[in-house]
Amino acid sequence: MSIWWSLHLRREAASVPLARRLLLGTMETAGVDEDIAYELSLALSEACANAVEHGGASDRRTDQYRVTAFLDGDMCRIEVADHGPGFPAPASPHPAETRRAAPVDTESGRGLHLIEALSDHARFRNRPGDGAVVSFDKILKWREDALLKVS
């Protein structure tokens, strides 16, 4: 079973619960375990809130962000891409390297740590000159009554 959807949302606070509800509805329909669905929806909310807050200036190109969700077999991948300035440069001399979340004791970056904690694998990367992408994966568990259960 595979499900894929993508949303182009305005960088407005009201878009965050819309994306979250669509993900929860997809997970419920597919038969994903409630705890897994909740963790993914919370991580998605954090990624969307980050895109709304930091995703760019208010011009036609940067007033929106994209959310894409893939359910493929027992895996879910979610990506949130914006057109903002991106993540700060890493301390590493390799600029293309995947960014890690900021230290927990800093004011910003806590949502990225939450995304890392709620997912099995998270990546934070910049698209040079075109914003940032937060993507995260989680292995799915299924309810006993799941209609679309893989195994």
Side-chain angles (χ1 to χ4, degrees):
M1 180 264 315
S2 293
I3 298 173
W4 173 89
W5 54 258
S6 187
L7 300 171
H8 292 263
L9 299 166
R10 290 179 98 36
R11 285 185 40 247
E12 299 172 351
S15 68
V16 177
L18 174 65
R20 183 177 175 144
R21 282 188 220 128
L22 182 59
L23 180 66
L24 283 169
T26 301
M27 298 283 166
E28 181 180 353
T29 301
V32 174
D33 174 80
E34 286 181 21
D35 291 337
I36 298 294
Y38 175 77
E39 289 172 357
L40 282 166
S41 72
L42 184 55
L44 174 62
S45 295
E46 290 295 332
C48 289
N50 193 58
V52 168
E53 184 174 349
H54 305 289
S58 293
D59 63 37
R60 176 164 244 158
R61 181 174 167 271
T62 64
D63 70 346
Q64 61 183 325
Y65 66 102
R66 186 189 76 235
V67 176
T68 306
F70 304 91
L71 279 77
D72 189 24
D74 284 331
M75 178 66 68
C76 178
R77 169 170 288 165
I78 297 173
E79 295 183 355
V80 178
D82 65 43
H83 297 284
F87 296 103
S92 165
H94 305 289
E97 168 179 301
T98 299
R99 275 55 174 175
R100 298 279 306 160
V104 176
D105 59 347
T106 63
E107 182 64 28
S108 64
R110 291 181 186 154
L112 300 180
H113 282 286
L114 189 55
I115 293 167
E116 286 181 321
L118 292 168
S119 64
D120 294 322
H121 186 248
R123 289 160 307 287
F124 311 105
R125 60 184 168 85
N126 290 330
R127 296 178 298 172
D130 198 27
V133 179
V134 172
S135 58
F136 50 96
D137 303 333
K138 190 153 185 88
I139 296 171
L140 301 174
K141 295 179 185 171
W142 302 94
R143 295 188 323 253
E144 287 300 318
D145 65 340
L147 297 175
L148 301 177
K149 188 174 179 177
V150 174
S151 49

